[in-house]
Amino acid sequence: MDTTMLAERWYDLFSRHAADLYPGRYTPAFCAELAEKAIEVRRLAAEKGSTIVAHNYQYPELQEVADFVGDSLGLAFKVRDAKAARVDFSSVHFMGATAKMIVGDAARVFVQGDPDVHSCSLVRGTDHRWLERRKQLDPSLVLVTYVNSDAYTKALSDYISTSRNTASVIATAAREHPGSKILVLPDKFLGHVMKWQAVNEKGVDPDRVEVYANPFGGYNACCYVHEKIGDEAPERALEEYEDAELMLHPECGCASSCLYKLSAGILPKGRVYYLSTEGMLERARTSAVKRFVIGTEKGMIYRLRKEMPDREFHPVSQEAVCDFMKQNTLDKLLASLRDDKYEIVLDDAADPKVERIENGVIKVNRAVAAKAKVAIDRMLAIR
Ligand code: SF4
């Protein structure tokens, strides 16, 4: 496809599926600029043998230029199965690091932009010293850690979990470690929803499950994007769209209050679902309902609309935008492919606690990555 055709195609696609999500962004001139860069990105990717993957929360142009779009763990497994020599990851950098832990030295993994700012409020809200101290005080403590976490936290953990399977992982941990306390981290909203499910749907003793809360203040241990989706948003959405289903990511700030409202009959049962982003795609494909309100980062709406143009998808909040994710751009992807930066490498001498950038390379401690992989593999045995 030549630049003009691609620019016209993208203008049409983005006008239909993303105009309300990013008002004023996709003008014909901007789409022409993007198309030119995208063609160069694909040329360089072919030349360098790269597989490009993009997280569901990326801008539409990054989703379009990617070979695969998905959630963090789904992409990590795509990377493993693609058996590409090189992977360019559009996401926050700890997600690229998770993929690197899984593929090891079998593939080179690159992330875009300046990794110093490619953080996440979940990572910033997790205190390594406190976790180490808790483990010292109670060596039998079992850590169930959500995949959105840094390498060192994963390495301290017994199991990694996803937004789809945390309740099952808690139940397995409870069975495999009788008598031990289970600490669920780092996201407090997801932690409470998953504890509720583990207790009410899988029979886990509530006294054995603790949800992590950042003991030193500062950043809360939660996703600041989902936190912004406040308590009133679900009711407002269901009133506005009377025939819609509400699909909420369990990281949402309204998650716990929605659980209460559902049990108290304030919110209608059968219209509210807690789902991972991949779970949202599955539910929308199979539900008899044609209209959905989506409680997660807005990038996901573009993917849903594009894959199911016969259905309607509305964001529960136009404020649900992740500034960390949105630092990725086609310009940065192009620079990354052209200049071979920023590569994530496993290094024996790297700082175990912080993934540092040195000379255009992000170093993850090899022993830490190996330990983290044990916890990831344990989760996979549960799926
Ligand atoms: Fe972190 Fe939330 Fe952004 Fe994901 S959406 S990278 S969890 S802040």
Side-chain angles (χ1 to χ4, degrees):
M1 197 179 288
D2 69 15
T3 311
T4 311
M5 276 170 70
L6 185 61
E8 283 170 6
R9 183 167 178 272
W10 278 12
Y11 180 64
D12 172 56
L13 209 53
F14 300 165
S15 301
R16 268 186 289 135
H17 299 320
D20 63 320
L21 304 176
Y22 310 107
R25 180 176 172 86
Y26 294 111
T27 61
F30 188 51
C31 288
E33 247 179 66
L34 291 176
E36 201 173 317
K37 287 168 190 163
I39 284 170
E40 181 60 3
V41 162
R42 291 304 328 174
R43 189 191 70 73
L44 281 169
E47 186 183 297
K48 300 210 165 180
S50 173
T51 295
I52 300 174
V53 298
H55 191 271
N56 289 321
Y57 299 163
Q58 294 303 316
Y59 280 124
E61 60 271 26
L62 285 167
Q63 296 192 26
E64 288 298 321
V65 89
D67 296 288
F68 301 108
V69 180
D71 63 11
S72 59
L73 201 66
L75 288 178
F77 289 112
K78 284 277 186 217
V79 166
R80 183 194 61 186
D81 298 342
K83 301 209 183 317
R86 171 186 174 129
V87 177
D88 282 86
F89 226 94
S90 295
S91 73
V92 284
H93 98 256
F94 71 82
M95 292 185 184
T98 305
K100 184 67 187 173
M101 288 169 206
I102 291 171
V103 297
D105 293 326
R108 297 180 74 185
V109 177
F110 291 82
V111 290
Q112 301 166 36
D114 177 355
D116 285 341
V117 289
H118 266 221
S119 191
C120 163
S121 55
L122 282 175
V123 171
R124 291 185 185 181
T126 309
D127 193 286
H128 295 151
R129 281 170 310 150
W130 187 85
L131 290 176
E132 287 164 339
R133 189 82 185 114
R134 274 301 304 272
K135 283 281 245 188
Q136 271 169 9
L137 291 172
D138 178 5
S140 71
L141 184 72
V142 176
L143 264 57
V144 171
T145 300
Y146 185 38
V147 67
N148 287 358
S149 49
D150 63 353
Y152 190 69
T153 306
K154 283 191 181 78
L156 287 177
S157 305
D158 297 278
Y159 303 84
I160 300 304
S161 70
T162 68
S163 48
R164 192 183 274 238
N165 70 6
T166 300
S168 299
V169 175
I170 295 171
T172 303
R175 221 174 25 251
E176 291 182 347
H177 300 271
S180 293
K181 268 242 177 206
I182 296 155
L183 180 66
V184 185
L185 68 147
D187 190 296
K188 65 177 179 182
F189 295 117
L190 181 132
H192 282 291
V193 171
M194 294 300 163
K195 176 178 176 178
W196 187 93
Q197 287 183 352
V199 168
N200 291 284
E201 295 168 10
K202 300 182 185 295
V204 175
D205 175 357
D207 292 338
R208 290 186 58 199
V209 184
E210 177 182 333
V211 177
Y212 174 78
N214 184 355
F216 300 119
Y219 266 92
N220 266 326
C222 64
C223 166
Y224 86 101
V225 180
H226 288 90
E227 186 185 30
K228 283 190 282 191
I229 300 174
D231 286 346
E232 307 305 320
E235 275 132 309
R236 271 203 314 272
L238 289 177
E239 269 168 35
E240 190 176 348
Y241 302 104
E242 284 180 352
D243 55 348
E245 278 183 1
L246 175 62
M247 301 203 274
L248 292 173
H249 195 282
E251 287 175 15
C252 283
C254 61
S256 305
S257 68
C258 277
L259 275 180
Y260 162 74
K261 288 175 193 169
L262 281 168
S263 61
I266 299 165
L267 284 176
K269 284 207 173 79
R271 284 184 67 201
V272 182
Y273 295 87
Y274 288 99
L275 294 163
S276 62
T277 48
E278 292 306 308
M280 289 176 183
L281 282 154
E282 208 173 290
R283 172 90 205 150
R285 272 192 208 107
T286 52
S287 170
V289 169
K290 300 279 184 218
R291 188 178 279 180
F292 303 88
V293 183
I294 306 299
T296 192
E297 214 273 358
K298 286 199 300 185
M300 185 65 198
I301 309 271
Y302 174 75
R303 184 170 172 207
L304 286 160
R305 286 176 179 167
K306 195 191 155 200
E307 291 194 14
M308 285 166 267
D310 59 327
R311 280 146 207 249
E312 249 182 60
F313 299 95
H314 302 277
V316 74
S317 163
Q318 289 287 359
E319 305 303 307
V321 178
C322 177
D323 291 335
F324 301 117
M325 286 281 185
K326 270 10 193 215
Q327 289 185 35
N328 291 286
T329 62
L330 268 186
D331 281 318
K332 289 179 184 168
L333 177 56
L334 200 49
S336 181
L337 277 159
R338 206 171 35 218
D339 306 333
D340 294 334
K341 61 178 190 181
Y342 297 90
E343 182 172 7
I344 300 179
V345 297
L346 302 178
D347 187 305
D348 294 329
D351 185 328
K353 296 194 177 180
V354 187
E355 291 112 60
R356 290 192 198 289
I357 173 165
E358 283 166 30
N359 303 323
V361 167
I362 302 161
K363 293 184 177 174
V364 178
N365 181 284
R366 191 179 284 276
V368 163
K371 268 196 193 164
K373 187 164 182 300
V374 171
I376 294 171
D377 288 346
R378 220 171 263 148
M379 172 194 74
L380 292 180
I382 298 168
R383 284 211 308 184

